[in-house]
Amino acid sequence: MRAINLKTEHMTNPMGIDIRKPYLSWNCVEGVAQTAYEIQVTEGQEVLWNSGKVLSHQMHVIYEKQTQSRQRLSWKIRLWDENDKVGDWSEEAHFEMGLLKKSDWSAEWINPELTCDPEVHKPASYMRKDFTINLSEIPSEGAPIKGRLYITAHGLYEAWINGQRVGDFVLAPGSYNYDKRLAYQTYDVTELLQEGENSVQVILGDGWYRSVSGVDGDRNLYGEDVALLFQLEVNGKCVCISDESWEASQNGPIRENDMQQGETVDARLSEITEYHGVKTEKFSTENLICSNCVPICEMERFEGRVITTPNGETVIDFGQNLAGYVEFTVEAKAGESIILTHGETLDENGNFTQENFQDRKRHKEGGTHQKVTYICSEGKNHYKTKFSIWGFRYAKLETSIDISKARFTAIAVYSKMEQLTTFSCGNEGVNKLVQNSIWSQKSNFCDVPTDCPTRERAAWTGDMGVFAHTGIYLMDAYPVMRKWLEECRLAQYPDGRIANIAPRNNKPSFFSGLLAGSVGWGDACIIVPYTLYRRDGDVRILEDNYEMMKNWYGFLERRGKKAPKNPLKRLKRKPYEKYTIDTGIDYGEWCEPDVESTSAMRTPQGKVATAFLARSGQMMAEIAEILGKESDAVHYHEMAENAKKAWRRIATDNGRIHSTRQADYVRALAFELLENEEAEQAAADLNELVKACDYHLNTGFLSTPNLTRVLCDYGYDDTAYRLLLQDTRPSWLYEVKQGATTIWETWDGINEKGEVKASLNHYSYGAVCGWLVDGVCGIQIQGTKIIICPHPNKTLGYAKATYRSPYGEITSGWRYEGEQIIYEVEVPSNTEAEMILPDGQKRVLTAGKYSYGGNIKWN
């Protein structure tokens, strides 16, 4: 038996972490069961820890030995199988600690701008420093030379040493609540250094720190400056730090840069002039942290195809809606220009448009520009965006240059996550739906999970709450979600409310404060950690977020105790008035077809809010039990049960729901708010309601992820599949039929006339793909338990999913051969899976591959 996929803190070989007791995990192959393991941790040639043979099936461990600043630790593992036979040592993995003490920092914050007008867009700052490395003065003690750069910025940075780019992290240092915490990165620069004379250049851009931000177009959210903190060490000794000796210029090629609005570049200024001194600043280092997350990187590339639209414009079609930027090469004369304006779609006439994602009256600069203006130098010109990111498939091209030999490329940019799930079935529309969902996740997981990469670019709580379950099936997004939860903790209000967007990307307003109490949105602070724990089993995600969860639920409890002014409402609440939430402002179900979402009052808030009080209480009771907080568990269990009764009183007629909205039924069934017979009746009523809608959905934001799932849970598989395969709106496959390459924000993002509206790159409605994995193919992870419970249906022909779970690779598939169903399952080493057939038959499967067909008789 061998160990593979060795990870530290859910990442592969992370460099520069400050989690002092890291979580080490692995998968098993080539055997049935792990009966024991042995781990060895080394620093150089020295063995720091050897676990010895530990009898355990567990595939993770906490490294308890005290870690130190700058330590680079390697670890490997060997396993004993079910026959007590030891396997070979694994390949080594490693992790490296960052600077764990504030006293480790010698660098000073430096500001390259001598003056700053906060009202105008500014050029990038080009900073430089020459330095000398004398190896005879570097402590080595026989160890190899090790160069490390610790760096961060107010704004974005790109660093070069001796003419070579440092690392592959783009848009560094990432997105944070910069006023409360700021990450620095650690880079191995050993190969970039040389003995003797060296030079460094750092380019600073505005970034999330002071760019135009969000739908309001606010600027300078975290400050008006840009600044650099730079510390280069060789074997732990500083050889170059940011201080007053650096030089800076604002006379380089990048004349304007903005995360949302774009870049203006003058290639004629490639020889940078007018260097001047820098200012040292007294900015604190107390808020510095390691990112403990995967980097943002350039990923897939798409070559552009030049088209001419009906109105005569030249447009480049990259074939895929994505978040990223462009690269191009062109021959030109000095002074000639290229303007590229980026958008997601063509309009109903086939012409380029940005209007679907604009709110020009609200935006302080009249809209989101997403534009590159490039002024050419003589001869061959090459451009690639440095300090901006946009959502686009198309780029309108304005130039007088001959572009017949030019090359335009779109580069997808997102957090470096591996795809975990592959899915295929007999319907190409459904296969495309899965790919579109993956692309919307890629497009919106740029350091934090945002709603869209165009207009808002906001890390909304509600979006993550409905998508987390699916997101960690599709991509290895655990580090990004963990990082985002840390931002949520920092953005929590003193009374327990959760900021709807974290990190903040607009200026706080009275109304945004009111909506910070929205159920469903704020409940994401419970839903997401709970979902991550249920999938991965790392209890620290619950420990780290428990106070945030507890404070949020306390806020909900206080909302329940606040009586409405309407005397009829007060009467209806009794005897559960303390457990009924029917005051305050909520987003509600949001984006229900034929319901106006902009007026939250249009959705019955009491039904939604009280249901979430019950459901979050259920989760909190379970979480408290896991953490050994017994008195809390009792309290939350009591809250959940009483909120359930309160909901039943205000939302049902003696347990019977009467509604034309599918969401009311889905919510009740998914949250287990009804007794057995009541639930059966609600499912039957939901089934009839879907039929009455001609197998169209009318759920909104909060309930759509569970619609097909609850139908299958109660035996209405045919209805669930007809919903899935529906291709007229509102439906998932309508947008596929319309040529979508990502998931839309609304069901009618492009209507039958070709008219466009809203964002065309929102992952939320792609949450149905979680059901394709855990329902259609039946791969479910419940704690450390694997369940295979497929729901085959002949309308799909076949379906197969392979999921690289925290416990190994799981495969479940089925296909029809005539009237027979053939099941194929693979269970990873060191696990068992309970397989449940549609007729209720069960069997426990140990590690291995299985195929079942024909007349299966297990019981």
Side-chain angles (χ1 to χ4, degrees):
M1 173 169 276
R2 292 187 301 114
I4 62 170
N5 296 332
L6 276 64
K7 293 195 173 185
T8 304
E9 285 300 329
H10 310 275
M11 296 178 286
T12 301
N13 299 333
M15 174 166 287
I17 62 173
D18 56 10
I19 301 171
R20 291 178 178 265
K21 295 184 177 181
Y23 181 92
L24 312 180
S25 61
W26 61 92
N27 294 148
C28 304
V29 293
E30 299 175 3
V32 174
Q34 167 195 306
T35 56
Y37 65 80
E38 180 182 9
I39 296 176
Q40 182 172 288
V41 178
T42 58
E43 183 178 17
Q45 300 300 313
E46 181 184 358
V47 176
L48 297 184
W49 179 61
N50 188 293
S51 68
K53 183 179 180 181
V54 179
L55 300 179
S56 175
H57 295 286
Q58 186 171 277
M59 290 182 283
H60 61 83
V61 68
I62 300 291
Y63 178 61
E64 296 283 356
K65 193 174 177 66
Q66 186 67 41
T67 50
Q68 306 293 330
S69 292
R70 306 177 179 88
Q71 268 190 315
R72 179 183 174 87
L73 303 180
S74 299
W75 66 284
K76 60 184 179 179
I77 182 171
R78 60 178 179 173
L79 308 175
W80 280 260
D81 67 12
E82 67 276 8
N83 299 314
D84 200 33
K85 181 181 177 181
V86 66
D88 294 334
W89 284 101
S90 69
E91 294 184 2
E92 279 195 339
H94 61 263
F95 60 94
E96 185 166 325
M97 307 306 294
L99 303 179
L100 304 182
K101 298 180 295 185
K102 301 306 176 187
S103 59
D104 291 328
W105 286 98
S106 300
E108 297 179 274
W109 280 104
I110 56 174
N111 184 340
E113 297 177 335
L114 300 181
T115 61
C116 174
D117 182 351
E119 300 303 317
V120 300
H121 288 284
K122 288 167 280 293
S125 288
Y126 295 78
M127 309 176 73
R128 69 182 184 184
K129 166 79 175 176
D130 294 330
F131 62 97
T132 302
I133 295 178
N134 188 342
L135 292 180
S136 64
E137 299 176 356
I138 302 296
S140 65
E141 299 177 357
I145 294 297
K146 184 175 74 172
R148 292 294 183 267
L149 173 60
Y150 306 96
I151 181 173
T152 191
H154 290 177
L156 301 179
Y157 69 82
E158 185 177 282
W160 298 70
I161 295 176
N162 294 325
Q164 298 184 67
R165 172 82 149 82
V166 175
D168 59 0
F169 196 143
V170 298
L171 306 179
S175 178
Y176 292 86
N177 286 292
Y178 294 106
D179 52 340
K180 297 179 180 178
R181 66 182 210 139
L182 170 61
Y184 65 90
Q185 281 72 48
T186 303
Y187 297 100
D188 182 350
V189 295
T190 306
E191 299 301 318
L192 305 185
L193 300 174
Q194 59 193 27
E195 186 167 14
E197 296 304 311
N198 292 261
S199 64
V200 60
Q201 181 191 59
V202 179
I203 311 171
L204 293 187
D206 289 0
W208 286 279
Y209 192 82
R210 71 177 189 184
S211 287
V212 168
S213 184
V215 69
D216 293 328
D218 291 325
R219 293 184 60 205
N220 305 311
L221 284 180
Y222 294 98
E224 297 176 354
D225 66 284
V226 288
L228 172 69
L229 189 69
F230 180 103
Q231 183 160 311
L232 177 58
E233 299 181 354
V234 176
N235 287 12
K237 179 180 179 180
C238 290
V239 296
C240 182
I241 61 171
S242 50
D243 59 20
E244 72 282 352
S245 67
W246 283 57
E247 294 182 310
S249 172
Q250 287 73 45
N251 199 40
I254 302 177
R255 308 311 306 147
E256 290 185 5
N257 74 99
D258 185 279
M259 287 285 288
Q260 185 181 106
Q261 304 298 60
E263 292 186 348
T264 298
V265 175
D266 189 340
R268 298 171 298 180
L269 299 178
S270 58
E271 294 295 326
I272 302 167
T273 59
E274 300 181 19
Y275 278 97
H276 54 76
V278 299
K279 298 186 295 184
T280 58
E281 302 281 7
K282 298 298 184 181
F283 301 135
S284 175
T285 58
E286 291 298 315
N287 65 335
L288 293 182
I289 58 162
C290 293
S291 60
N292 301 324
C293 193
V294 292
I296 307 167
C297 291
E298 295 179 353
M299 307 298 278
E300 297 91 342
R301 291 170 176 255
F302 297 88
E303 296 302 315
R305 178 174 62 91
V306 177
I307 62 175
T308 302
T309 57
N311 64 2
E313 292 177 336
T314 300
V315 173
I316 304 169
D317 180 1
F318 295 102
Q320 174 64 53
N321 199 13
L322 53 80
Y325 44 66
V326 294
E327 181 176 35
F328 62 77
T329 303
V330 65
E331 292 281 344
K333 295 179 180 179
E336 292 184 314
S337 66
I338 292 174
I339 299 174
L340 290 172
T341 305
H342 299 78
E344 295 183 304
T345 187
L346 303 179
D347 66 15
E348 66 271 25
N349 299 311
N351 296 317
F352 178 84
T353 186
Q354 286 186 333
E355 294 312 303
N356 60 301
F357 58 72
Q358 298 291 6
D359 193 338
R360 297 194 183 278
K361 290 183 179 180
R362 182 174 174 181
H363 196 285
K364 293 179 176 60
E365 295 194 354
T368 301
H369 297 165
Q370 299 200 151
K371 180 181 290 188
V372 170
T373 300
Y374 183 87
I375 303 169
C376 298
S377 60
E378 190 69 29
K380 186 176 182 179
N381 286 260
H382 176 261
Y383 167 80
K384 184 169 70 172
T385 308
K386 288 188 183 295
F387 299 132
S388 194
I389 184 172
W390 320 294
F392 68 101
R393 171 179 169 171
Y394 298 92
K396 183 175 71 172
L397 173 63
E398 298 173 83
T399 187
S400 60
I401 299 170
D402 177 8
I403 61 165
S404 60
K405 295 182 181 180
R407 184 178 181 182
F408 296 88
T409 304
I411 304 172
V413 174
Y414 54 89
S415 292
K416 196 173 184 180
M417 307 172 294
E418 299 175 51
Q419 185 174 327
L420 296 181
T421 292
T422 58
F423 174 89
S424 64
C425 70
N427 185 289
E428 286 305 313
V430 174
N431 293 335
K432 182 62 174 173
L433 172 67
V434 175
Q435 291 306 309
N436 290 359
S437 300
I438 290 170
W439 268 107
S440 277
Q441 183 170 1
K442 290 176 178 179
S443 300
N444 284 291
F445 274 57
C446 183
D447 214 39
V448 292
T450 57
D451 61 336
C452 71
T454 50
R455 180 184 69 245
E456 294 187 60
R457 304 166 178 234
W460 283 92
T461 50
D463 297 63
M464 196 69 266
V466 300
F467 190 74
H469 173 78
T470 297
I472 53 175
Y473 268 129
L474 299 181
M475 306 287 289
D476 189 5
Y478 190 105
V480 179
M481 294 187 193
R482 175 179 61 190
K483 173 189 181 299
W484 173 75
L485 286 168
E486 293 169 354
E487 302 302 320
C488 290
R489 296 201 297 269
L490 291 173
Q492 188 168 34
Y493 288 72
D495 64 358
R497 285 173 296 156
I498 298 291
N500 290 319
I501 297 169
R504 64 184 173 91
N505 79 335
N506 55 19
K507 294 179 180 177
S509 67
F510 173 76
F511 196 62
S512 66
L514 286 179
L515 284 168
S518 293
V519 295
W521 270 252
D523 293 277
C525 77
I526 300 172
I527 295 167
V528 176
Y530 178 81
T531 300
L532 293 176
Y533 171 76
R534 292 274 291 173
R535 188 68 57 85
D536 191 86
D538 187 349
V539 73
R540 296 173 308 160
I541 201 71
L542 302 180
E543 294 170 342
D544 292 346
N545 292 288
Y546 189 71
E547 285 304 310
M548 173 174 66
M549 295 187 275
K550 188 174 181 178
N551 291 336
W552 163 253
Y553 198 78
F555 170 76
L556 292 184
E557 290 183 60
R558 291 191 295 277
R559 274 190 70 182
K561 293 175 182 177
K562 187 175 180 180
K565 296 179 180 179
N566 188 317
L568 293 177
K569 277 191 175 183
R570 290 200 300 271
L571 181 63
K572 191 170 184 179
R573 296 166 106 229
K574 294 182 180 297
Y576 301 106
E577 57 266 34
K578 293 182 180 180
Y579 308 98
T580 306
I581 300 179
D582 51 7
T583 60
I585 299 176
D586 295 294
Y587 285 107
E589 183 63 24
W590 197 252
C591 283
E592 285 182 278
D594 306 317
V595 173
E596 178 56 58
S597 291
T598 54
S599 174
M601 298 302 178
R602 293 289 295 276
T603 302
Q605 297 308 294
K607 297 177 183 179
V608 179
T610 305
F612 271 94
L613 182 65
R615 176 57 182 150
S616 287
Q618 294 167 0
M619 289 186 285
M620 287 298 293
E622 185 177 339
I623 291 166
E625 288 176 0
I626 292 166
L627 298 181
K629 300 179 183 294
E630 295 180 5
S631 60
D632 284 0
V634 170
H635 170 71
Y636 292 129
H637 179 73
E638 178 183 322
M639 281 297 305
E641 286 303 306
N642 282 309
K644 180 177 174 180
K645 293 173 183 176
W647 173 87
R648 191 175 183 276
R649 180 168 177 80
I650 66 170
T652 75
D653 181 7
N654 292 320
R656 181 78 180 268
I657 300 171
H658 297 287
S659 176
T660 60
R661 307 307 304 183
Q662 296 165 14
D664 291 332
Y665 299 90
V666 173
R667 191 180 308 113
L669 294 168
F671 291 1
E672 299 179 342
L673 301 177
L674 297 165
E675 302 303 324
N676 291 340
E677 290 185 3
E678 296 170 349
E680 294 288 346
Q681 182 63 60
D685 291 344
L686 173 62
N687 183 60
E688 292 303 315
L689 186 55
V690 173
K691 288 182 180 181
C693 292
D694 194 22
Y695 297 95
H696 290 87
L697 51 79
N698 72 12
T699 45
F701 196 78
L702 297 178
S703 296
T704 298
N706 287 313
L707 175 56
T708 50
R709 184 174 288 113
V710 298
L711 285 166
C712 273
D713 287 346
Y714 286 88
Y716 298 104
D717 293 36
D718 286 345
T719 301
Y721 275 90
R722 289 190 67 170
L723 269 172
L724 174 67
L725 299 178
Q726 177 64 259
D727 65 0
T728 59
R729 67 182 174 99
S731 70
W732 291 284
L733 294 194
Y734 168 75
E735 59 191 62
V736 172
K737 188 173 69 173
Q738 291 292 99
T741 61
T742 45
I743 300 297
W744 297 346
E745 179 180 10
T746 63
W747 298 114
D748 57 349
I750 302 176
N751 67 20
E752 290 82 355
K753 297 178 181 179
E755 297 166 335
V756 298
K757 61 180 280 190
S759 165
L760 300 182
N761 204 346
H762 260 61
Y763 54 68
S764 301
Y765 285 135
V768 69
C769 293
W771 172 71
L772 295 178
V773 180
D774 68 34
V776 171
C777 293
I779 300 174
Q780 301 176 17
I781 306 289
Q782 298 181 6
T784 59
K785 187 176 182 181
I786 299 172
I787 296 174
I788 307 293
C789 185
H791 289 266
N793 192 280
K794 206 166 187 177
T795 58
L796 211 54
Y798 78 91
K800 181 179 180 180
T802 297
Y803 169 48
R804 287 171 47 204
S805 79
Y807 308 104
E809 191 167 283
I810 306 167
T811 297
S812 174
W814 50 262
R815 68 183 187 275
Y816 278 83
E817 293 185 358
E819 295 301 316
Q820 289 191 350
I821 306 172
I822 309 298
Y823 298 95
E824 293 183 355
V825 173
E826 184 171 358
V827 179
S829 294
N830 197 39
T831 66
E832 291 182 343
E834 181 181 40
M835 186 167 183
I836 306 173
L837 297 180
D839 62 5
Q841 293 189 80
K842 299 179 182 180
R843 172 168 286 188
V844 174
L845 308 178
T846 56
K849 295 182 179 180
Y850 301 87
S851 180
Y852 299 105
N855 188 20
I856 302 173
K857 296 293 184 183
W858 286 346
N859 296 343

